[in-house]
Amino acid sequence: MSDRGYRRPRALSPLREHLRDTFWFAPTVGLLCSLALWWGVSALDAEIVTHLKDEQAYEEVGDLIRFADDARTIVTTVSSAMMTFIGVVFSISLVAVQMASGQLTPRVVRIFVRSRISKLTLTVFLATFAFSLLVLTSYESESDPRRVTSVPLLQSMLTLAMVGLSLLLFIAYVSSTLRLMQVGPVVDRITHESLRVVGRMPGGVREELSLGAETARIGYAGRAGVLREVNVARLVRVARRQEVVLRLIPRIGDFVVPGTPVLAVHGGASPQRMPRYTISVGVERTPQQDLAFGLRQLSDIALRALSPAVNDPTTAVQCLDRIVQLLAAMLHLPLGAVQHRDGGGAVRLVQDGPEWTDLVDLAFEEIRWCATRSPQVSRRMLAGIDDVVALAPEDRKGALVRHRELLVKAVERTVPDVIAREFALFPDRQGIR
């Protein structure tokens, strides 16, 4: 198998993935940074006053006191209003997330949770609030330039700068949230993540490999959940040290429970237990190594749009646009079992993956059952299948042709009128122009 340009999937970082799936880490770090920043800036303010007093520049110290007193009103207003502002903004955001998950699919909530702009905005908002409170503690009741020890000059200026940054981030956050409430940007994000997984898949031609007799199986001992990622490099090193070939039994995206066989060992001595930090299990699927997850999400959005409660065939057409794009990108990709080799070229890990037929079924099977009620969707599906068939090699046309024939038969059974049936079976890339 030629692996020119192939890079193994990056090493697992369970902590990093956990932190990306949470909303508390970045704001907590922001609060700690605001405390450290206040401590450093307050020390600089004290140094400035001390230097001016050493130079007997009491008039300049008085000017600083007057400026700080004027800025104190703004700092007080910021400290009292920022928390209310945060509550209102993120209450609206929660409503927006709920609407998006209801109209599209609950799987898109992770896009909001992992959004960098959302976390950055909350972090800066909370840091501004905390910093403004700390600045208020730096104000002294003493107004005599000869007796004052510190004037929060830099602290006040930095508070104003943080307020300006908060306003800019608020604009960016609202813009980003509104975009993620639209179908187009959401399906584009899903497609982009899926194409990155496709780009990391090894190329070349799959070789038929005899693994030899299976000598042992290693069970899973962690908490139940969805298999999200595999640390390929670590498993290859373990297999090389043991002089064995490991075969991953479940696919990425499968649900595993304690005791489930995860690794099959072929040849040599078996590892005593599952090597640590080699697989990542979570509560839901992620797109990092899951080739089929993008198609699953697009299919879910299309099915929700075609349900009688929503009845939005145009959204289903947008999903079919991206499904066709993903299938076209996977056309010449070797699918099925992926063989990972060590530095000497020996196969050490075999990882099962979806076949081409599995991906085509995932893309079209469920949508086809609902497409007969909407000529817009049936026309777009026929055009999409025809486009992929025109690009596909001979060995991959069969699954596509099968779905086309099934769709035609389903429409013929559902639509008795000849004219209406001909209209519903006319391929159109826009559905209905």
Side-chain angles (χ1 to χ4, degrees):
M1 177 180 65
S2 175
D3 288 345
R4 186 182 300 276
Y6 166 55
R7 295 182 299 171
R8 288 176 181 164
R10 59 175 175 76
L12 285 175
S13 177
L15 178 61
R16 179 179 63 184
E17 290 303 313
H18 172 71
L19 295 179
R20 289 189 66 185
D21 287 334
T22 59
F23 230 86
W24 62 267
F25 179 71
T28 302
V29 172
L31 290 175
L32 295 176
C33 290
S34 67
L35 176 62
L37 182 63
W38 170 78
W39 182 83
V41 175
S42 62
L44 289 177
D45 280 333
E47 288 292 332
I48 291 174
V49 172
T50 301
H51 175 73
L52 292 176
K53 290 172 67 176
D54 291 342
E55 298 293 329
Q56 296 186 351
Y58 298 111
E59 183 176 352
E60 285 79 1
V61 175
D63 292 337
L64 295 182
I65 293 174
R66 286 188 289 273
F67 174 83
D69 287 339
D70 293 338
R72 183 174 187 172
T73 304
I74 300 177
V75 175
T76 303
T77 303
V78 170
S79 62
S80 61
M82 184 59 71
M83 203 61 185
T84 304
F85 180 63
I86 294 172
V88 171
V89 169
F90 283 91
S91 295
I92 297 174
S93 302
L94 291 177
V95 175
V97 171
Q98 185 177 8
M99 291 178 59
S101 64
Q103 293 177 355
L104 302 176
T105 173
R107 257 66 63 190
V108 303
V109 174
R110 60 173 298 279
I111 297 178
F112 290 85
V113 173
R114 296 169 70 94
S115 171
R116 290 187 176 92
I117 186 65
S118 300
K119 295 178 181 179
L120 179 61
T121 302
L122 178 60
T123 299
V124 174
F125 282 6
L126 291 177
T128 302
F129 171 70
F131 190 81
S132 62
L133 291 180
L134 293 172
V135 171
L136 289 176
T137 65
S138 300
Y139 282 94
E140 299 180 3
S141 58
E142 184 62 58
S143 58
D144 185 356
R146 297 177 181 273
R147 301 177 62 181
V148 72
T149 59
S150 178
V151 178
L153 171 66
L154 297 178
Q155 298 173 64
S156 301
M157 296 176 63
L158 188 56
T159 302
L160 298 178
M162 293 178 70
V163 170
L165 178 60
S166 298
L167 294 176
L168 292 176
L169 284 175
F170 172 67
I171 296 173
Y173 175 74
V174 170
S175 175
S176 174
T177 302
L178 290 177
R179 279 183 53 82
L180 290 179
M181 291 179 64
Q182 303 172 44
V183 177
V186 170
V187 298
D188 180 71
R189 177 76 67 87
I190 294 171
T191 305
H192 178 70
E193 291 177 343
S194 300
L195 289 176
R196 284 194 298 180
V197 180
V198 172
R200 290 195 294 264
M201 293 295 292
V205 179
R206 294 281 189 270
E207 297 177 357
E208 292 294 332
L209 179 68
S210 177
L211 299 179
E214 181 180 312
T215 57
R217 286 195 172 190
I218 302 176
Y220 175 65
R223 64 188 181 97
V226 176
L227 179 59
R228 302 193 303 181
E229 294 182 288
V230 177
N231 191 330
V232 173
R234 186 181 294 271
L235 283 174
V236 168
R237 287 197 298 269
V238 170
R240 183 182 59 192
R241 287 197 299 267
Q242 300 288 337
E243 293 294 330
V244 298
V245 178
L246 298 177
R247 177 171 57 85
L248 188 69
I249 299 174
R251 290 183 182 179
I252 299 294
D254 286 356
F255 191 87
V256 295
V257 298
T260 301
V262 177
L263 290 175
V265 183
H266 295 264
S270 169
Q272 297 299 317
R273 61 182 182 276
M274 171 69 68
R276 299 182 62 187
Y277 307 119
T278 53
I279 65 173
S280 173
V281 174
V283 296
E284 61 181 355
R285 297 168 69 174
T286 60
Q288 276 71 33
Q289 295 182 12
D290 197 337
L291 186 63
F293 186 49
L295 291 174
R296 176 72 275 167
Q297 293 180 88
L298 293 173
S299 179
D300 286 348
I301 296 174
L303 291 174
R304 181 69 63 90
L306 293 174
S307 65
V310 179
N311 193 23
D312 182 14
T314 303
T315 294
V317 167
Q318 289 181 275
C319 293
L320 284 171
D321 292 340
R322 299 299 183 166
I323 287 174
V324 170
Q325 178 184 358
L326 288 179
L327 290 179
M330 301 173 185
L331 268 176
H332 301 284
L333 190 69
L335 299 172
V338 180
Q339 302 168 6
H340 301 282
R341 302 172 183 269
D342 59 16
V347 174
R348 294 301 180 187
L349 175 65
V350 178
Q351 182 180 354
D352 191 21
E355 300 284 354
W356 172 250
T357 302
D358 300 329
L359 297 174
V360 175
D361 290 342
L362 177 59
F364 293 127
E365 181 68 26
E366 293 175 299
I367 300 177
R368 193 189 72 244
W369 285 79
C370 302
T372 56
R373 299 193 303 264
S374 173
Q376 182 180 0
V377 178
S378 63
R379 288 159 63 98
R380 179 63 187 100
M381 184 178 292
L382 288 172
I385 293 176
D386 291 343
D387 288 341
V388 181
V389 168
L391 299 173
E394 289 299 325
D395 60 334
R396 293 195 171 176
K397 290 183 179 181
L400 297 165
V401 173
R402 177 173 60 87
H403 278 279
R404 193 186 197 286
E405 294 174 350
L406 290 173
L407 177 59
V408 170
K409 292 179 181 179
V411 173
E412 289 175 346
R413 288 194 305 267
T414 307
V415 183
D417 185 76
V418 176
I419 297 177
R421 186 165 61 240
E422 290 178 353
F423 180 82
L425 292 178
F426 183 80
D428 190 338
R429 292 189 179 90
Q430 296 184 27
I432 299 177
R433 297 180 182 271

